[in-house]
Amino acid sequence: MGAWIKEAFTFQDLQRIMFKLIDRVPVFAELSQQELIDLLSNAEKCTFAPGDLILNEGSTSHFMYVITEGAATVAKKDSSGKASELAALGSGDSFGEMSLVDKDPRSASVTATAECVLIRIPESACWKNPVVSAKIFRNVSRILSRRLREADRTILQKN
């Protein structure tokens, strides 16, 4: 894993991010401005350089990430160790949500393909407020359902 920078958000950062992303990030759908500020007050800003490994397949952690700037790819290794790209991510996309639901090891690796600024949200922040928890869990369910449908389509197209 490459070197990365981690820092707390300033109030100005929170305001800028909130206005930029509240309507564009599916995991934040239906959160009020105050709920989003409360959630982000427990988050960290992480910066990765192109080529840096953000998440490693098989590792464990209990964080979800949202890309505020930059791009990344999601890749998974097959039984021979060959990695295949599953998705390209950009500003507004999230990843790591599955760890909030099942606590299993990471199912894929995520690598920065451009300078990436991420919001790193700990699991504890997602579940501390029952109203926010319900909204996030519903949004994560929608995201995972959409990804499953896309994977099904991809499998059918290959056959």
Side-chain angles (χ1 to χ4, degrees):
M1 188 179 293
W4 56 285
I5 300 167
K6 177 177 76 171
E7 59 187 286
F9 283 108
T10 65
F11 182 73
Q12 290 79 16
D13 285 338
L14 291 175
Q15 283 186 315
R16 183 180 57 81
I17 290 168
M18 184 186 66
F19 291 120
K20 180 179 178 183
L21 299 177
I22 194 165
D23 294 326
R24 291 188 19 227
V25 178
V27 79
F28 297 152
E30 301 175 14
L31 291 178
S32 70
Q33 289 182 0
Q34 188 57 54
E35 289 168 337
L36 184 56
I37 287 172
D38 291 345
L39 178 67
L40 294 179
S41 70
N42 294 291
E44 297 171 319
K45 178 170 68 172
C46 301
T47 305
F48 292 86
D52 282 353
L53 185 64
I54 300 169
L55 292 180
N56 193 16
E57 181 177 349
S59 66
T60 56
S61 68
H62 304 291
F63 297 93
M64 174 179 64
Y65 296 82
V66 176
I67 300 174
T68 62
E69 297 173 31
T73 59
V74 180
K76 183 163 184 65
K77 292 180 182 174
D78 64 17
S79 58
S80 70
K82 180 184 174 205
S84 295
E85 185 176 316
L86 301 177
L89 306 174
S91 180
D93 289 328
S94 59
F95 57 92
E97 306 93 345
M98 287 171 46
S99 72
L100 302 181
V101 177
D102 64 15
K103 299 190 186 342
D104 285 347
R106 299 290 187 181
S107 65
S109 295
V110 179
T111 304
T113 55
E115 179 87 11
C116 267
V117 179
L118 308 174
I119 301 170
R120 182 179 189 226
I121 304 169
E123 175 187 27
S124 58
C126 296
W127 307 137
K128 75 178 191 175
N129 177 325
V131 173
V132 172
S133 298
K135 291 177 182 180
I136 290 174
F137 192 75
R138 182 175 47 245
N139 293 338
V140 166
S141 297
R142 288 175 180 152
I143 291 166
L144 296 178
S145 177
R146 178 181 43 87
R147 289 179 186 162
L148 179 58
R149 289 177 195 276
E150 289 171 5
D152 289 347
R153 279 191 292 276
T154 300
I155 290 169
L156 288 174
Q157 289 172 354
K158 288 183 178 181
N159 291 331

